[in-house]
Structures are given as structure tokens and as C-alpha cells.
Amino acid sequence: MGARNRAGARELGNLLRGYREAAGLTLRELGPKLGFSAACLHRLETGFRGTTTETEVVHYMAACGAHYEDVRKLIDACRATNDDRGYWLCPHGQWMGDSLRSLIFHESSASKSVSYEPELIPGLLQTEPYSRALFARVDISEEHRAARVQARMERQRILFRNKPAKFIFFIQERALRLEVGTYRIMTEQLLAMLFLADQWNISIRVVPASARDRASLGGPFQLFGFPKYRTLAYLDGPVGGLFLEDLDYVGAYRSLNRQLAGLALDAGESRVLLAKLADEYDRAEGSWDDASQVAQEQL
């Protein structure tokens, strides 16, 4: 796979461009500092150049006045890009980790996104109360928790931007029935999904419980399609996000995508189920509050 076609090269170039723009430099101004033409730097920043060496990254960042820690991070990114393994791991962080930055970059440049979630509502569809309830289980400070929720909410803007991509969400029915927070939170979450499902570029399809073991397809994943580049797969894990670009790796997830399409309810049937479950949570809200009150009194 040539470097000019790799997702890592596009991401590295985007990171470099960010430092140049932060330094207030144009391509014509930076070029003489590095001995490169503006056209060559443009190809580097857009991922359409050949392999970028670590030395070139250091010189580029130094010319932009970057700090040592930033230089080190981009050297690591350069090494991962040049390895050409067909996959790379981006670690999570307390704030916006490398995995989230990478995910947002590729997500925002894709023309089509297909995701599968077996246990939880996908992050792009989560309401703020649902997201807060999820992060409440994580052993982090309130400041970090608030930052994570804010990052997730800001990421959702991609659904409504000018000329948005096409988004398809496959969600297991058990994810809709998993109670996160209160019944009221769940009611509002499902109603929000009904609204999103009415958007022309968003399709929500539920994999019903009736599919049973046929729907045992492993953990969550996302597939990103691009007009000019190969499909990219993303797997979120407890320590980081794994990006897959190798054709064989991605092919396996495209096969899972076809299986999901055959098992899932269509968009209309899924909306009916979402409405039914929202009504169930709404009707159960009073009983949940009563049970919660009794539990508090017994403590």
C-alpha cells in the first residue's frame, strides 16, 4: 500500500498543518525554512506525499516553534505511519486522548460511516444525561468527567454539518434495554434517537433479540468510507482505539457489516421498537422512583 493512500499519512499531515497554522505561517513562508517548495509541503500536509522521515518532522516542528513534547508525539505518529503494518493503536487519555483525536479526524473526513454497538448507545447518538451517567461509573475526577462529556457532545456536531456524511448505526436490542441512569434518562435517550432517525443522512437499525446467537458478532466497530481512499475500520477498547487499514483486516469487518444488514430490522421497524421501548421506560419511571426511594431509606 503506497504511503500516499494511507490514512496515517493523511492524519500526520493534518497534525503538521495544525502546528504551522498555530505558528501563523503560510506554506510559502515555511518552505524556505525547510528547503521545500510550497507544493511539496502541501502534498505532505494532505497525505499525498511519499514517506515522511522523522528528521523532516523534527525540522518542520522546530520551524513552527513547537515544544519538545509535541515533537515527540508527532515522531511517534510518523513511525506508526512509516511502519505500514496496516493497523495502529492510539491510546486513550484522561482528556482528549490520541484515539479520540484520530477518530474525530477520520470521522470528519469520511463520506460514509457504519457503526455497530452491542452493549451501549453509540457515542454519536448519546444524550448528555446518558453520557454523564455512563462516565459516572469511571474513577476519574469531576473535571475530567465533564471534559469527556463535553468532547462527546461536540463530536456530535458532525451529524448536522453542511453536507454531512451518511451515518448507519446498527445497535443490539439489549443495548436499548440496558438501563443507564434513571428511567427518565432512558426515555429521553430513546426519544432523541427517534428524532435523529428522521434525519435524511442518519439510519438507525436495531438488531432484535429474536436473532439470538446469530447476532453474536463480537465487540463494537466502525467503518469509514472515503471517496478517494480505502475503507478504514476502528475498534474501541479499554486502553485505546485500534485502527485497521489492511485490506484483509477491513474485509472481515465489511463481512460483519453485511451480516448485520441481514439480521437487523429495517429503519421503519427500528423506529417502531424505539418508540415502544421509550413508552415502556416512560410508564416505568414512577415505579423506578419509588424503588429508588425505598432503597435510599434502607441505607
Side-chain angles (χ1 to χ4, degrees), residues 177 183 187 273 275-285:
R177 294 185 178 277
Y183 284 174
T187 301
L273 180 55
K276 174 178 177 291
L277 292 175
D279 182 63
E280 289 180 7
Y281 281 121
D282 184 50
R283 291 174 182 274
E285 183 181 334

Side-chain angles (χ1 to χ4, degrees), residues 16 34 52-66 71-72 74-75 78:
L16 289 169
L34 301 175
T52 301
T53 68
E54 295 177 30
T55 301
E56 288 172 336
V57 168
V58 172
H59 287 165
Y60 187 108
M61 295 288 283
C64 294
V71 175
R72 184 182 58 78
L74 260 69
I75 288 176
C78 179

Side-chain angles (χ1 to χ4, degrees), residues 15-288:
L15 291 171
L16 289 169
R17 181 172 67 249
Y19 284 102
R20 174 179 60 78
E21 292 175 346
L25 296 170
T26 66
L27 290 173
R28 292 186 181 278
E29 291 170 337
L30 181 61
K33 296 176 181 291
L34 301 175
F36 288 144
S37 67
C40 180
L41 288 179
H42 175 72
R43 289 195 298 273
L44 186 156
E45 291 183 356
T46 54
F48 280 92
R49 183 175 178 267
T51 301
T52 301
T53 68
E54 295 177 30
T55 301
E56 288 172 336
V57 168
V58 172
H59 287 165
Y60 187 108
M61 295 288 283
C64 294
H67 296 294
Y68 170 75
E69 280 301 313
D70 294 324
V71 175
R72 184 182 58 78
K73 289 180 180 179
L74 260 69
I75 288 176
D76 290 341
C78 179
R79 288 172 179 169
T81 298
N82 292 338
D83 280 348
D84 197 16
R85 296 168 295 180
Y87 66 90
W88 65 98
L89 178 68
C90 292
H92 291 325
Q94 288 186 320
W95 296 90
M96 182 182 286
D98 294 339
S99 60
L100 182 55
R101 279 191 291 266
S102 296
L103 175 61
I104 290 173
F105 171 74
H106 295 296
E107 197 171 57
S108 63
S109 57
S111 59
K112 183 178 181 180
S113 170
V114 179
S115 64
Y116 167 61
E117 268 289 352
E119 303 294 342
L120 299 169
I121 305 300
L124 282 177
L125 301 179
Q126 290 177 13
T127 63
E128 186 171 339
Y130 183 98
S131 182
R132 285 189 179 280
L134 273 181
F135 286 125
R137 304 177 305 174
V138 183
D139 186 19
I140 56 178
S141 70
E142 181 56 36
E143 187 181 14
H144 290 168
R145 186 175 295 113
R148 288 190 179 188
V149 172
Q150 181 181 359
R152 181 156 295 182
M153 296 302 103
E154 291 177 349
R155 179 181 159 218
Q156 294 177 2
R157 295 175 185 172
I158 194 174
L159 299 173
F160 305 102
R161 67 180 181 179
N162 186 35
K163 296 182 180 179
K166 172 66 175 178
F167 292 87
I168 302 174
F169 298 94
F170 290 104
I171 308 171
Q172 289 278 2
E173 182 178 338
R174 63 176 176 268
L176 306 178
R177 294 185 178 277
L178 178 66
E179 298 167 11
V180 175
T182 66
Y183 284 174
R184 178 173 297 179
I185 288 175
M186 292 302 300
T187 301
E188 293 174 351
Q189 173 64 68
L190 295 180
L191 290 177
M193 291 171 67
L194 280 171
F195 166 76
L196 291 170
D198 281 337
Q199 307 305 302
W200 70 267
N201 64 313
I202 299 174
S203 176
I204 298 177
R205 298 185 59 187
V206 180
V207 181
S210 58
R212 303 179 69 179
D213 59 295
R214 291 180 298 148
S216 297
L217 301 175
F221 67 87
Q222 290 178 259
L223 289 172
F224 300 118
F226 306 91
K228 300 178 181 179
Y229 313 118
R230 292 178 177 177
T231 301
L232 182 66
Y234 174 75
L235 286 66
D236 193 18
V239 298
L242 180 64
F243 289 88
L244 305 174
E245 194 174 29
D246 181 270
L247 289 178
D248 291 335
Y249 298 153
V250 174
Y253 283 93
R254 296 182 75 170
S255 177
L256 287 178
N257 178 34
R258 289 190 291 271
Q259 293 180 55
L260 285 166
L263 291 170
L265 303 175
D266 64 30
E269 294 168 333
S270 297
R271 283 195 293 269
V272 170
L273 180 55
L274 286 171
K276 174 178 177 291
L277 292 175
D279 182 63
E280 289 180 7
Y281 281 121
D282 184 50
R283 291 174 182 274
E285 183 181 334
S287 61
W288 187 95

